[in-house]
Amino acid sequence: MRISDITRLSWDQVRRRKVVTALCAAGISIGCAAIIIALSIGESAQVYIEKQMNSYLKMDEITVTASTGAYAGGGASTADEDSLQKGKLTKQKLDIMRQIEHVKAASPYQQLNYMETMTLDGLTSQIQTEIIGTDIEMLSAFGNDINQGEATNVLGTIILNYGATMGFIDEESKRKIREQIDANPYDETVYQQFEKLNRVPGALYQKQIQLRSSSPDGQVVLSGPLRVIGVLKKPAGVSDEQSMYDKKGYVSLETAELLKKELKLGSDEQEAYNSIIVKVDNQAKIEQVEKQLQKLVVTTRTNLQQKEQLANEFKIIKAAALGIGVFILIIASISIVVAMTMSTYQRRRQIGIMKVLGANLAQIRNMFIIEAALLGLLGGLLGVLFSYWIVWGINALIYNLSGETDSVIIFIPFITIPIGMAFALATGILSGIYPAISASRTDALTAIRRD
């Protein structure tokens, strides 16, 4: 018998025994779908979390600070002073950093402080805003897109992110809320009202605001008016609840120096920066660029460790998910073994006749193994189909519950389909080995005589 004849006989048996075929294929399809969905959810969650990490932790950025001790106090020797001078971040080093291969952008940063922001008509933000001095014209290169206005280094101006425009209320409203909180500290409606006010964005574009801070001697100091010349776009995937606690105001380096004098924040040397943020065009080149930066006698820091830790954690999750799918396939294989064994008993007359007509043991075994493999193939194809249906349903449920178009979406990576199919086929073939051996050992004359 040729392999095509054996395959045709096996397929005829699969088609004839519809109930057994349906039950076996259903069991395998559930296991196959479980493997594909589990791996897909793990991969989708990892991609989503990495996207969020890139948004918050900036995985493609390197934070450069002065070499350890560059801003240390006195008492150092002349050699130490020379070493400290070499470790400072200067404009010359910034220009060199911008010339390094794979560096997309490099911008100096000076974090002044967290301060209260208030408009000239008496509205005050309830949550303090972090004021940062930087090269305003480089904001877009670091993913800070302008929604209103224009990013220019104009003295006495400020650009606010979306969160920094939220939560401006007048002193009278603030006083009433505080009185209500003091009178009913356990009243949830008061806190909800307070949070609702903090989520309302204000129209601050082209308005003037002032910064209020406490000096080192404890005095409350007010800055001169700053005109809001730009408002950044709301980051994708960030809710208003998250935005209201993420308040940033960006000023030019010249404006930052002016504010440090006005608000008595102290003054660093003009020729040095607090830190420099370097953006790399490819995450895979982070380590290469970092080594080049360290040659400038600076300290560097990246967030690659968090990404590696996340990848290791998801390897464990994917392995566990794969184990669950394999366990389901093992349960399904038991049903195939039982069904094929029963088939062997029911078809012993057919087996006896085939042996009398010249079929050898290998051909009998192959017929049952191919039949089991066909069951595995059918189950695998059904499993792939079920996987897409289930993933579609999960995505619809996520969208309906979250109401956000940029919420986590489950997708099926192409590599999971051959993995699921391979497990389904392997389950079918392995489950058919014992029935095939049992069928090949059937005595022809005894089987014909009994039936």
Side-chain angles (χ1 to χ4, degrees):
M1 294 176 66
R2 294 173 298 180
I3 190 67
S4 58
D5 297 327
I6 297 174
T7 303
R8 188 177 66 255
L9 286 173
S10 300
W11 177 244
D12 288 340
Q13 289 299 321
V14 170
R15 291 173 53 195
R16 187 178 304 166
R17 298 160 58 239
K18 292 182 175 59
V19 175
V20 174
T21 298
L23 292 175
C24 293
I28 293 179
S29 66
I30 293 173
C32 177
I35 289 176
I36 293 175
I37 292 172
L39 293 177
S40 298
I41 290 176
E43 185 69 23
S44 302
Q46 183 175 353
V47 169
Y48 177 78
I49 292 176
E50 285 183 357
K51 181 181 177 181
Q52 295 298 311
M53 288 179 67
N54 286 338
S55 175
Y56 289 104
L57 298 180
K58 308 294 185 182
M59 305 299 293
D60 58 349
E61 293 180 4
I62 303 173
T63 301
V64 182
T65 55
S67 183
T68 306
Y71 292 106
S77 65
T78 304
D80 292 334
E81 287 294 336
D82 292 340
S83 177
L84 298 182
Q85 288 296 328
K86 289 181 181 179
K88 289 183 178 180
L89 300 178
T90 61
K91 188 178 186 306
Q92 182 183 9
K93 287 186 179 181
L94 175 62
D95 293 336
I96 294 174
M97 291 176 189
R98 288 172 174 169
Q99 301 301 318
I100 295 176
E101 188 179 5
H102 300 298
V103 170
K104 185 177 180 181
S107 181
Y109 277 74
Q110 283 201 341
Q111 294 176 318
L112 300 184
N113 206 343
Y114 284 87
M115 308 179 194
E116 288 184 336
T117 52
M118 55 190 300
T119 61
L120 297 184
D121 54 359
L123 299 180
T124 306
S125 176
Q126 302 309 294
I127 300 174
Q128 292 186 334
T129 301
E130 182 183 11
I131 306 301
I132 301 171
T134 185
D135 185 351
I136 298 295
E137 296 177 359
M138 296 293 292
L139 283 176
S140 60
F142 289 85
N144 299 306
D145 297 325
I146 298 291
N147 184 40
Q148 290 179 295
E150 186 179 1
T152 55
N153 289 303
V154 178
L155 186 66
T157 61
I158 187 171
I159 289 182
L160 302 176
N161 72 344
Y162 177 76
T165 65
M166 304 170 75
F168 280 83
I169 61 175
D170 59 84
E171 291 295 331
E172 181 64 22
S173 300
K174 183 165 64 172
R175 184 185 61 80
K176 289 181 179 180
I177 291 176
R178 286 179 178 174
E179 289 177 354
Q180 291 177 355
I181 292 175
D182 292 338
N184 301 291
Y186 301 105
D187 190 353
E188 289 293 332
T189 57
V190 178
Y191 288 99
Q192 289 174 1
Q193 181 185 2
F194 179 72
E195 289 187 359
K196 185 178 180 180
L197 289 173
N198 279 329
R199 290 197 298 268
V200 177
L204 298 182
Y205 177 57
Q206 289 298 345
K207 287 190 175 182
Q208 289 185 322
I209 64 172
Q210 289 180 290
L211 305 177
R212 185 162 56 191
S213 178
S214 296
S215 63
D217 56 5
Q219 295 180 353
V220 177
V221 186
L222 207 61
S223 74
L226 298 173
R227 182 171 295 279
V228 179
I229 62 169
V231 177
L232 301 182
K233 290 182 180 179
K234 178 183 177 182
V238 179
S239 64
D240 285 345
E241 287 78 6
Q242 294 171 314
S243 296
M244 72 181 187
Y245 292 108
D246 180 27
K247 296 176 178 285
K248 289 184 175 65
Y250 298 94
V251 298
S252 65
L253 294 172
E254 293 78 9
T255 304
E257 290 299 325
L258 180 63
L259 289 174
K260 285 158 74 174
K261 294 176 182 177
E262 287 183 346
L263 301 174
K264 302 178 181 179
L265 300 176
S267 178
D268 290 326
E269 298 179 36
Q270 293 285 342
E271 70 272 10
Y273 306 120
N274 289 125
S275 64
I276 294 175
I277 306 298
V278 176
K279 193 173 190 68
V280 182
D281 58 9
N282 189 340
Q283 283 189 31
K285 304 296 182 181
I286 284 283
E287 292 185 3
Q288 177 183 335
V289 174
E290 188 176 16
K291 290 179 181 178
Q292 294 294 322
L293 292 172
Q294 289 171 351
K295 293 179 180 179
L296 298 175
V297 196
V298 295
T299 302
T300 59
R301 185 179 72 253
T302 67
N303 291 312
L304 287 181
Q305 185 178 359
Q306 285 87 339
K307 183 178 180 180
E308 293 172 358
Q309 183 180 356
L310 179 69
N312 292 331
E313 291 175 356
F314 270 97
K315 283 181 182 178
I316 299 174
I317 295 174
K318 290 176 183 178
L322 184 63
I324 293 172
V326 171
F327 175 76
I328 296 175
L329 281 178
I330 291 174
I331 300 300
S333 68
I334 295 175
S335 65
I336 296 178
V337 172
V338 173
M340 296 294 292
T341 303
M342 291 297 297
S343 175
T344 302
Y345 179 78
Q346 293 170 354
R347 293 157 58 190
R348 60 187 185 277
R349 179 179 176 82
Q350 176 190 355
I351 295 170
I353 293 174
M354 289 177 64
K355 283 190 172 183
V356 169
L357 293 176
N360 56 38
L361 299 181
Q363 291 171 338
I364 301 295
R365 283 197 302 268
N366 290 341
M367 183 178 69
F368 277 86
I369 290 176
I370 291 175
E371 186 175 332
L374 289 173
L375 289 175
L377 179 62
L378 285 175
L381 293 174
L382 284 174
V384 172
L385 185 62
F386 289 159
S387 300
Y388 278 97
W389 283 348
I390 294 171
V391 166
W392 176 82
I394 293 174
N395 286 332
L397 180 63
I398 291 174
Y399 177 76
N400 289 332
L401 291 177
S402 65
E404 297 181 5
T405 56
D406 53 0
S407 56
V408 57
I409 296 297
I410 309 299
F411 65 93
I412 298 180
F414 178 77
I415 190 64
T416 61
I417 295 176
I419 290 176
M421 289 294 298
F423 272 102
L425 276 172
T427 301
I429 293 172
L430 293 175
S431 302
I433 290 177
Y434 171 75
I437 294 174
S438 176
S440 65
R441 291 176 177 175
T442 301
D443 182 73
L445 295 178
T446 302
I448 294 173
R449 189 183 302 116
R450 284 182 180 177
D451 294 337

